[in-house]
Amino acid sequence: RAGGAQPDPRRASSLAPARGSRHREARSAAAQDRESRNAAKNAAKPQRQQAELSPVKGRAPSKKTSDSVNSASDGELAGMTGALALSKRGSDSTPQSRRKGAPAPVIVELGQDSSPRDRTMSSASASSNGQAEAEKEQELDELGALGDAPPPAVLSQLIVALRFKMSTAATRLDLTDEDLEVFLRNRNWRLRPTLALIKTYARWYEKHALTPQLLVVDRVENVLLQGIIMEPPGMRTKYGTRIMYMRPARYFPATMDLTRLMEAASYIYERMVENPEVQRTGFSFLADMSEWTWQNFSTRYATEWFKMMQYRFPVQIKSWLMVDSPPWFNKVWAIISPGMSKSFQAKWEFHTRDTIDQVISAECLPVEMGGKLDCDMEKYVNWRRHIEDGDIGYMENESCTFGNSSSLCG
């Protein structure tokens, strides 16, 4: 060929059949070898084939499984069919291909590291623990829901459960057992509603980077001295409930800090909460709406205010008394009432200065409302400062003298 000679066509044609025959034999041998290897592979690893084809409940077969079925030989399809039949029949069936005494193949879900037995046992254990915990909570609720305080042993269990389940923010408040008892009483000694109330209570303090111990009279003195909100110890309704008193016309949202007002209101609310009598009977809220205008209102202020009054503190509001509301207050009511619960709306009463004496006697009404009680907030602030400083002769349940009246209005 190097010299330009052409190959002999007869020689080439005589070699072609030999080469083709050898190629066919090689392909046949390779095919037989593949089939034998596949058969050996199927016999040696039934578990792997079964796992790939075992159907996962609620999920379509994976692409890998579909591809293996599409490219399988007759022998592979037979093995796969047997595996599928086994998975349908359940683990009690014994395939003929399994030798006597060999362990049954374990059917696992694709993509899972643990076995079904482990997952089933883990799920069952978690379910059992959750059910036991729920039953324990229900038992505590049933034991606690007695109206009056439950037996000491049950109360102790409730307090321990509260401390175990309360949020991190609530734990930081360092609530005493007596504090937790107040929250339980407000929620009729039921565990879950009490936890929800404590969570809401703690969330506000966390938002303002405060604790009840840090909310002292010196912090809110400026707002209190403006006479916007107060809790005169000698102020009561004719039914004997203590009164939280507010003059909404003295607050102007456009020029005054809402946070300072909410802190002052929380301070007054805390003073009501710490009174054992109020813990049992609740209190009434009195608002003098004379001289109140649109300049004293904002949606943000109303939202924050009524959220706090309804959901944040563990004492009950018995009645909400509005005195001399302006004629257009129905427009304000349309704005604020959707954010109130039905039970809270039912507590609202609208009075005038001529009718409020049906609920509160003249001895317990402020002077500006035609009564005899002079609310001197400077004296109140000094009284609270003495109590918080631990000065001798000043007690929490001692009546504060406001002006000319020191009556408890009992």
Side-chain angles (χ1 to χ4, degrees):
R1 292 181 183 176
Q6 297 297 324
D8 187 353
R10 292 173 298 178
R11 178 175 176 83
S13 62
S14 65
L15 292 175
R19 290 178 181 175
S21 177
R22 286 198 299 270
H23 290 170
R24 286 194 296 272
E25 292 176 357
R27 286 196 298 270
S28 177
Q32 293 178 2
D33 185 56
R34 282 198 305 272
E35 290 181 1
S36 62
R37 285 201 305 270
N38 289 334
K41 183 178 179 180
N42 293 337
K45 297 182 179 181
Q47 295 181 8
R48 178 179 175 183
Q49 294 172 357
Q50 187 172 344
E52 291 178 348
L53 291 170
S54 181
V56 180
K57 185 177 182 180
R59 194 166 64 197
S62 65
K63 185 176 184 300
K64 179 179 178 181
T65 302
S66 299
D67 293 343
S68 65
V69 173
N70 293 335
S71 61
S73 65
D74 293 341
E76 290 173 326
L77 287 174
M80 293 177 182
T81 304
L84 288 171
L86 174 61
S87 65
K88 292 180 181 179
R89 288 196 302 266
S91 59
D92 293 338
S93 301
T94 305
Q96 297 179 358
S97 59
R98 197 179 76 206
R99 63 183 175 84
K100 186 176 181 180
V106 180
I107 302 175
V108 299
E109 294 186 359
L110 295 176
Q112 301 291 337
D113 294 333
S114 59
S115 67
R117 177 181 176 85
D118 293 338
R119 289 195 302 277
T120 301
M121 292 178 63
S122 176
S123 176
S125 177
S127 176
S128 177
N129 292 338
Q131 183 178 359
E133 185 176 350
E135 291 176 354
K136 181 65 174 178
E137 289 184 4
Q138 183 178 358
E139 180 182 356
L140 287 174
D141 282 345
E142 291 175 354
L143 290 173
L146 302 174
D148 297 328
V154 176
L155 180 59
S156 177
Q157 292 182 55
L158 288 168
I159 291 175
V160 169
L162 285 177
R163 292 198 180 281
F164 179 75
K165 290 178 173 292
M166 70 172 54
S167 64
T168 304
T171 304
R172 295 194 187 103
L173 298 183
D174 196 23
L175 299 173
T176 65
D177 288 356
E178 290 75 16
D179 295 331
L180 297 180
E181 185 175 347
V182 174
F183 281 93
L184 283 165
R185 178 183 286 109
N186 183 257
R187 289 298 183 262
N188 200 24
W189 312 102
R190 294 187 178 275
L191 186 62
R192 290 188 179 182
T194 303
L195 283 169
L197 177 60
I198 294 175
K199 183 178 180 179
T200 305
Y201 176 82
R203 189 181 297 157
W204 185 88
Y205 277 106
E206 183 180 37
K207 176 182 177 182
H208 295 274
L210 279 173
T211 65
Q213 294 78 15
L214 295 176
L215 191 59
V216 295
V217 70
D218 289 339
R219 185 180 180 94
V220 297
E221 177 180 0
N222 292 336
V223 178
L224 294 180
L225 290 178
Q226 295 179 58
I228 300 175
I229 188 165
M230 61 197 77
E231 51 98 24
M235 200 172 187
R236 293 173 181 263
T237 66
K238 288 185 175 181
Y239 306 105
T241 55
R242 290 278 303 273
I243 295 176
M244 182 187 295
Y245 177 44
M246 185 178 186
R247 301 178 178 120
R250 298 193 180 190
Y251 174 70
F252 295 88
T255 58
M256 301 174 71
D257 189 352
L258 177 59
T259 300
R260 300 283 82 82
L261 174 65
M262 300 305 293
E263 289 182 0
S266 296
Y267 178 82
I268 295 298
Y269 218 137
E270 290 284 6
R271 304 292 71 79
M272 304 292 285
V273 170
E274 67 189 9
N275 186 295
E277 178 186 355
V278 175
Q279 294 171 11
R280 295 189 301 271
T281 64
F283 70 94
S284 294
F285 183 90
L286 175 66
D288 181 5
M289 299 295 290
S290 61
E291 302 180 2
W292 191 79
T293 68
W294 277 109
Q295 294 181 341
N296 304 116
F297 175 81
S298 77
T299 303
R300 176 171 173 259
Y301 157 47
T303 301
E304 292 292 326
W305 181 263
F306 290 112
K307 184 186 298 182
M308 180 186 73
M309 287 294 176
Q310 291 182 88
Y311 305 118
R312 200 169 72 77
F313 283 94
V315 290
Q316 182 183 9
I317 297 178
K318 300 292 289 186
S319 58
W320 191 278
L321 310 173
M322 304 286 285
V323 180
D324 287 343
S325 300
W328 43 268
F329 186 78
N330 59 333
K331 298 180 181 179
V332 178
W333 180 256
I335 297 174
I336 64 177
S337 59
M340 301 178 185
S341 65
K342 296 297 183 182
S343 59
F344 184 66
Q345 292 182 28
K347 297 176 181 180
W348 281 56
E349 300 178 18
F350 294 87
H351 295 272
T352 65
R353 275 168 164 70
D354 296 331
T355 63
I356 190 61
D357 60 354
Q358 300 174 4
V359 184
I360 305 173
S361 63
E363 289 76 15
C364 294
L365 275 176
V367 173
E368 63 267 23
M369 294 183 68
K372 301 179 180 179
L373 191 64
D374 185 9
C375 300
D376 189 333
M377 289 308 294
E378 185 174 353
K379 288 184 178 181
Y380 176 84
V381 168
N382 290 332
W383 175 62
R384 286 303 312 173
R385 185 176 288 115
H386 281 298
I387 291 176
E388 292 172 8
D389 290 344
D391 294 343
I392 298 176
Y394 291 85
M395 300 181 299
E396 294 281 358
N397 60 353
E398 182 180 9
S399 174
C400 172
T401 300
F402 285 84
N404 298 327
S405 176
S406 61
S407 171
L408 291 177
C409 304

